Amino acid sequence: MEDLILRADNVSYAYEDSEGMAVRGVTLGFRAGEMTAVLGHNGSGKSTLAKLLNGLYIPTEGHVTVCGIDTQEDEHTWDIRRSAGMVFQNPDNQLVASIVRDDVAFGLENIGVPSAQMPARIETALRQVEMLPFIDRAPHTLSGGQKQRIAIAGILAMQPKALILDESTAMLDPRGRREVFDTVSRLNREQGITVVWITHFMEEAEYCDEIALVFQGGIIARGTPDELKGKAPGAAKNGGAADMTLEEAFIAYIEEVQRKGGHA
């Protein structure tokens, strides 16, 4: 457990004025250097879990730690955000400057990086997402996929230990989705950045090291894509992992939970 970058211990979260829990009893760890998909349908609680992992939300119950720091420690808020950077669904809501260079600099200014160090870090981050040629462009002239890569560069410039991407391809066309997923996958593979990939797209989750399946705010299964398919309820009867798609496995896990008459 000692190499966990992000860790949730029996975490639950309820929104104000809400009767139920959006996240319930989640215990989950993310190891250094792995790319893990958190897969669930809309309303399953996966985006709430993402915000808990980044410290944007504080658990109603339980604890979340980022690089060993409890997110309830207010004095370490910026340390947490710097260690676990987050990219959201809509790229237009994340870009704050009129020039790409200034947009990537925004996070560095917030964490107090000296001005003299900024140009090198900005250029390195843009090079990592293959957007350096666009450094002096206006973000509004870029495609959706390019905007998300700029948003990722803004996080990379802060040199995080982990990237949390909350449905970051959901608003993109197929080409943009592929650009962003390939970029993040390469960063994980070549630079060892821990990635938490929040998604409802089965085909994206299929390419991650591990998948955590979310239903009704809880984790109902976790494993590699093949493990999840092979251990799914009814898999052995139907020929095992080779004959079961990830979507079929996910449905089988959900039906098993429902048959038992309870939440995840």
Side-chain angles (χ1 to χ4, degrees), residues 1 6 25 38 57 61-62 76 80 89 133 155 174 204 242-243 256:
M1 299 289 282
L6 305 168
V38 176
Y57 292 170
E61 300 172 5
H76 293 300
I80 290 166
Q89 184 177 115
I155 301 299
E204 293 177 351
D243 293 324
E256 180 74 5

Side-chain angles (χ1 to χ4, degrees), residues 41-56:
H41 298 131
N42 291 336
S44 63
K46 61 188 185 299
S47 288
T48 303
L49 178 58
K51 294 177 177 68
L52 286 162
L53 292 172
N54 177 250
L56 287 174

